[in-house]
Amino acid sequence: SIPTLSIIIPAYNEALRLPPALTSLRSSLRRSGLRPLEVLVCVDGSTDGTCEAVKAWSKNNPDLPVAVADLSRNAGKGGAL
């Protein structure tokens, strides 16, 4: 089905910040009742393990599927979106 809400998060070197942010987002989305929805994290050439951190969070939190687009080089926020 077509998502009711699409959330796109550009990320550059956010390995420490994204897992808690995704947990907070999951709580807010649960309260909203919006379904179906999709979350996409665009990892913009990060070098700190951001992609791995998001994938690990998603694996441990299957109730909020998070897709990851891993861009090979930093293109800035506009490029990531």
Side-chain angles (χ1 to χ4, degrees):
S1 63
I2 297 173
T4 301
L5 176 66
S6 297
I7 299 171
I8 303 170
I9 303 170
Y12 177 73
N13 289 341
E14 298 290 343
L16 296 178
R17 281 181 233 149
L18 265 177
L22 290 169
T23 299
S24 177
L25 176 62
R26 182 185 63 200
S27 296
S28 295
L29 290 171
R30 279 183 183 161
R31 287 190 303 272
S32 76
L34 291 172
R35 294 283 186 265
L37 56 91
E38 63 183 357
V39 177
L40 172 63
V41 177
C42 294
V43 180
D44 190 26
S46 292
T47 58
D48 71 340
T50 298
C51 188
E52 293 78 10
V54 173
K55 287 178 181 178
W57 186 93
S58 186
K59 183 179 179 182
N60 292 323
N61 296 276
D63 57 318
L64 179 62
V66 177
V68 179
D70 190 8
L71 307 178
S72 60
R73 64 180 180 88
N74 183 270
K77 186 188 292 185
L81 293 174

